Structures are given as structure tokens and as C-alpha cells.
Amino acid sequence: MVFPRSLAVIGANALLVLASSASCEVTSGSGARSATTSCQSRDCEVTVSGAQGTGDLWEQGNTTIGYRILLAEDQEADVRVSVQERAYRESEEAVLVPGDSAEVGGYTVTYVEHTGDAAAFDFTWQD
């Protein structure tokens, strides 16, 4: 069966968009601090190296959900989740230690572990 070239291009672009929305991994930071964010749908794993990290958990249309994590020397983490929709912004935060979980900004955030200079977190979307 032969498809017109324009349909083949549209189909290829649709597959690319679908694949890119399913999962992503982003590293952000500068100098002695950085964060790696790996997401599957709205659930994300975040690793912070250094004293702090920031990144996006989810974005669609005019809505972006992001995080900011500040790590203290005693391994305590201040976790903030912000929802930005156009000019409206709402934030929630919690202070966690390794092994703790809290509901923050529509996510259950679990402080998985702290090893050396890095800390790992799971962000699970609450449907």
C-alpha cells in the first residue's frame, strides 16, 4: 500500500511527539551543584549533587510543575514543588530526611537516600 508523502511525514512526527512525551531525562545545574531528572509520564526520579538542584517535573500547555531541593550538611532536604500556570504560581514545601515521604504539590515525595555528595528522590504523581 502506498501512502502520500505528507501522511508519512505527519505519522513520523506524531510518533516522535508521542515518544518524547512518554519519558525524559534532564540534567541542570552549574558549578558544584546539579540535578538530574528522569521522568516516566508524571512520575520522576531526581538526583541532586551538591547543595541544591532545580528542574521541571511536568509541562503541558501553559502549566509547568517544577521542584527546588536544598540539601543541608545534616542530610536534611527542603523540597519545594511549584505549579506555574501563566501568571499564577502556587508552591508547597516539606523538610525531609533520608527515608521520609511527604505529599507536596500533588506529588508523594520520597527521600530515597543520601550518599556522599548526592541525594536521590522519587516524585510520584497523585492521581
Side-chain angles (χ1 to χ4, degrees):
M1 180 175 225
V2 177
F3 293 102
R5 183 179 181 129
S6 62
L7 285 179
V9 171
I10 291 170
N13 287 338
L15 284 175
L16 180 61
V17 169
L18 186 61
S20 66
S21 67
S23 68
C24 68
E25 185 169 328
V26 177
T27 301
S28 63
S30 62
R33 60 181 189 211
S34 69
T36 301
T37 308
S38 177
C39 298
Q40 183 68 31
S41 187
R42 288 180 111 172
D43 296 338
C44 302
E45 295 176 357
V46 173
T47 302
V48 176
S49 298
Q52 70 179 13
T54 61
D56 290 339
L57 299 168
W58 184 77
E59 184 175 354
Q60 184 173 352
N62 294 322
T63 304
T64 302
I65 301 175
Y67 68 88
R68 188 226 53 214
I69 299 172
L70 300 175
L71 295 173
E73 289 185 23
D74 63 358
Q75 298 185 357
E76 192 173 81
D78 179 14
V79 179
R80 175 179 293 169
V81 175
S82 299
V83 178
Q84 175 87 36
E85 187 171 1
R86 296 183 190 228
Y88 174 75
R89 182 183 194 122
E90 182 179 331
S91 297
E92 291 182 7
E93 62 185 278
V95 176
L96 304 172
V97 295
D100 276 358
S101 292
E103 291 196 21
V104 184
Y107 282 87
T108 297
V109 181
T110 303
Y111 190 165
V112 178
E113 65 180 343
H114 190 283
T115 56
D117 193 33
F121 299 84
D122 284 336
F123 287 76
T124 305
W125 179 249
Q126 299 301 304
D127 293 320

